[in-house]
């Protein structure tokens, strides 16, 4: 009677642990599917771990029920066979997941993942062959007709144990690239199940429900740590973005431009007071638009951007006079563009092209559209430059081109193309896909 009571307790614990594992799997799957991110290989692999481990718990729950409560021992044995195969897929998916995550931090040979697939599939083949023998090697029916583990069952756990040991050594070799919390989350996938294996090899007792629960707990730890890592990376990126905005502000309000603009206004005061007042108002608008753009950091309408560019070019025309001719051909305005985008391109055209010609030159800004794209062109007939000179771009030449190109790509999924012919001029073309 005492033995029967103990068996009932153990069965209850088994069902409870399996239920917990299934619940964790469902919650993690819901969280993964709710994420607004592309299904990258590492995410898909992690889903594979969660799904296969949840299926193992369901299978173990069925085995426990069939073997101990309904007497369908033969069916329980078949389900156990299936659960072992699914468990090896859990290990394989984890190897894929680990491979894709770690290769972001360290160099990993391309063939390693295929090696791990082979190692995971080998025990499946051995299991199927062994249980096809008479008598079966790994699971069998005892004299009472009850499904039990065979004498060679330990062999079926040896290769998974070796794979986990290999993964543990690999993770420890990458510890310099991981934080303490990341390292603990990763090795928990080997340590927790490893304890179950050690208990089996020492005592002969093997509790599948505890094994599946340990994988579920490790999945929670890894999921939480990966998301905390994403948050930390987002903070770092946000800090870099703030720094980039400050650098952009500095690049757009250079001391030489402030000096030249104020000097031009100073000269105008004695020549044309009304024009000087208009210049002061335009200069104020230009500075305010710079600051507003940096505060929001969001795309603006093309109309706003072109007005800001016109304010800048108005001040430059005061400075250069008849040496700077400006034409506008605006045929499309109903789209968004990163702030401070057209203006730095116009500034480069004047600073590095037109101003270096003795007789000055012409700057033309146009916009148009076709079925798929909006286009903006900034064309000058200045000195131009060689492609190699553009590749050697630094902070002293072609102000902000790299910044502009990066923001166009990241903020509106657009592209900036720069072409130039020495002695003829430069053309900057911005293309922005419609519907993005």
């Amino acid at each position: 009677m005492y033995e029967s009571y103990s068996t009932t307790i153990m069965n209850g614990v088994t069902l409870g642990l399996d239920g917990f594992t299934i619940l964790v799997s469902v919650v993690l799957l819901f969280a993964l599917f709710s994420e607004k991110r592309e299904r990258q290989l590492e995410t898909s692999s992690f889903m594979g771990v969660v799904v296969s481990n949840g299926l193992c718990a369901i299978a173990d729950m069925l085995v426990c029920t069939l073997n101990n409560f309904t007497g369908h021992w033969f069916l329980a044995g078949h389900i156990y066979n299936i659960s072992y195969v699914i468990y090896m897929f859990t290990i394989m998916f984890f190897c894929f997941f680990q491979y894709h995550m770690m290769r972001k931090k360290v160099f990993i040979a391309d063939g390693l993942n295929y090696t791990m697939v082979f190692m995971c599939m080998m025990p499946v083949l051995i299991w199927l062959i062994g249980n096809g023998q008479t008598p079966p090697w790994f699971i069998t029916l005892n004299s009472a007709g009850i499904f039990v583990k065979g004498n060679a069952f330990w062999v079926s756990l040896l290769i998974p144990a070796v794979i986990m040991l290999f993964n543990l050594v690999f993770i420890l070799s990458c510890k310099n690239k991981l934080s303490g919390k990341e390292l603990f989350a990763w090795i928990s996938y080997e340590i927790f199940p490893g304890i179950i294996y050690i208990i089996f090899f020492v005592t002969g007792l093997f509790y599948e429900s505890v094994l599946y629960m340990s994988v579920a707990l490790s999945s929670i730890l890894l999921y939480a740590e990966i998301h905390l890592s994403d948050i930390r990376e987002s903070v770092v990126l946000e800090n870099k973005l703030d720094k980039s905005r400050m650098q952009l502000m500095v690049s757009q309000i250079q001391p030489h431009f402030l000096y030249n603009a104020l000097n031009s206004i100073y000269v105008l005061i004695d020549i044309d007071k009304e024009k000087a007042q208009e210049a002061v108002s335009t200069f104020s608008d230009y500075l305010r638009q710079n600051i507003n753009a940096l505060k929001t950091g969001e795309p603006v309408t093309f109309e706003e951007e072109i007005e800001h560019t016109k304010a800048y070019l108005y001040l430059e025309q005061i400075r250069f006079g008849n040496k700077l001719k400006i034409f506008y051909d605006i045929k499309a305005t109903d789209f968004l563009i990163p702030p401070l985008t057209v203006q730095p391109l116009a500034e480069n055209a004047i600073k590095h092209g037109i101003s270096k010609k003795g007789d000055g030159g012409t700057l033309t800004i146009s916009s148009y559209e076709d079925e798929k794209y909006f286009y903006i062109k900034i064309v000058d007939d200045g000195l131009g430059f060689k492609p190699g000179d553009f590749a050697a771009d630094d902070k002293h030449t072609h102000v902000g081109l790299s910044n502009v190109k990066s923001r166009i790509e990241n903020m509106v999924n657009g592209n900036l193309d720069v072409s130039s012919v020495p002695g003829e001029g430069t053309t900057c073309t911005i293309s922005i896909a419609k519907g993005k």
Side-chain angles (χ1 to χ4, degrees), residues 102-402:
M102 287 298 106
R103 74 180 307 178
K104 295 179 179 180
K105 300 177 181 292
V106 297
F107 171 77
I108 303 177
D110 290 335
L112 181 61
N113 55 340
Y114 299 109
T115 302
M116 300 309 295
V117 171
F118 173 76
M119 292 181 66
C120 291
M121 291 299 100
M122 187 170 24
V124 172
L125 182 62
I126 295 173
W127 177 271
L128 296 176
I129 293 174
N131 282 330
Q133 305 302 309
T134 305
W137 296 351
F138 306 118
I139 58 171
T140 186
L141 297 177
N142 63 14
S143 57
I146 300 175
F147 149 69
V148 294
K149 297 177 177 66
N151 294 330
F153 181 78
W154 66 273
V155 177
S156 66
L157 298 183
L158 188 59
I159 296 179
V162 171
I163 295 174
M164 288 186 176
L165 181 61
F166 175 84
N167 285 335
L168 178 60
V169 172
F170 173 72
I171 288 295
L172 291 177
S173 70
C174 301
K175 64 180 180 180
N176 293 333
K177 301 292 184 179
L178 302 170
S179 67
K181 292 180 180 179
E182 286 178 315
L183 180 63
F184 176 76
W186 279 107
I187 65 174
S188 69
Y189 252 102
E190 281 74 42
I191 295 298
F192 291 170
I195 293 174
I196 311 301
Y197 282 117
I198 291 173
I199 292 174
F200 168 75
F201 287 120
V202 173
T203 66
L205 299 175
F206 187 71
Y207 300 105
E208 288 83 355
S209 58
V210 180
L211 175 66
Y212 304 146
M213 183 197 67
S214 70
V215 174
L217 292 175
S218 297
S219 297
I220 295 173
L221 288 175
L222 259 183
Y223 181 83
E225 182 52 38
I226 289 172
H227 277 68
L228 288 174
S229 179
D230 287 345
I231 293 173
R232 289 192 291 267
E233 289 180 4
S234 297
V235 172
V236 172
L237 289 175
E238 185 64 31
N239 291 335
K240 288 183 178 179
L241 180 59
D242 291 338
K243 184 178 180 181
S244 177
R245 288 175 181 168
M246 293 304 297
Q247 291 173 340
L248 178 61
M249 181 176 67
V250 172
S251 72
Q252 300 310 309
I253 313 176
Q254 293 286 349
H256 75 269
F257 172 70
L258 295 176
Y259 172 80
N260 291 332
L262 292 173
N263 188 59
S264 298
I265 295 171
Y266 175 78
V267 172
L268 276 178
I269 291 175
D270 292 329
I271 300 174
D272 189 336
K273 290 185 178 180
E274 290 185 3
K275 193 171 183 179
Q277 290 177 340
E278 184 179 355
V280 170
S281 177
T282 302
F283 185 53
S284 175
D285 290 340
Y286 170 78
L287 293 177
R288 183 175 62 254
Q289 289 166 349
N290 265 310
I291 294 171
N292 289 341
L294 291 164
K295 283 182 178 179
T296 62
E298 299 294 329
V300 298
T301 64
F302 177 68
E303 288 180 331
E304 292 178 280
E305 179 63 15
I306 199 65
E307 288 302 315
H308 177 252
T309 304
K310 287 180 178 179
Y312 168 79
L313 293 176
Y314 174 82
L315 296 170
E316 289 292 72
Q317 276 190 305
I318 294 175
R319 174 188 172 198
F320 289 102
N322 294 331
K323 288 187 176 182
L324 176 59
K325 300 178 181 64
I326 300 173
F327 294 97
Y328 298 96
D329 183 19
I330 308 301
K331 296 179 180 177
T333 58
D334 190 19
F335 60 96
L336 298 177
I337 189 170
L340 305 179
T341 298
V342 178
Q343 184 271 324
L345 297 178
E347 180 180 350
N348 285 327
I350 296 171
K351 181 178 179 182
H352 301 290
I354 296 173
S355 67
K356 293 183 179 180
K357 290 179 65 176
D359 56 349
T362 301
L363 175 67
T364 302
I365 299 177
S366 61
S367 68
Y368 58 97
E369 62 181 301
D370 60 21
E371 293 181 355
K372 296 183 178 180
Y373 295 92
F374 291 104
Y375 298 94
I376 306 165
K377 280 195 174 183
I378 300 93
V379 182
D380 71 80
D381 59 359
L383 292 182
F385 58 88
K386 296 178 181 179
D389 296 334
F390 177 65
D393 177 33
D394 59 36
K395 65 180 180 180
H396 300 298
T397 60
H398 304 290
V399 178
L401 280 177
S402 299

Side-chain angles (χ1 to χ4, degrees), residues 391-428:
D393 177 33
D394 59 36
K395 65 180 180 180
H396 300 298
T397 60
H398 304 290
V399 178
L401 280 177
S402 299
N403 193 302
V404 169
K405 182 176 178 64
S406 175
R407 290 187 296 118
I408 289 173
E409 292 174 350
N410 295 326
M411 295 179 70
V412 293
N413 196 28
N415 183 58
L416 170 63
D417 179 70
V418 180
S419 60
S420 187
V421 178
E424 295 184 15
T426 302
T427 299
C428 296

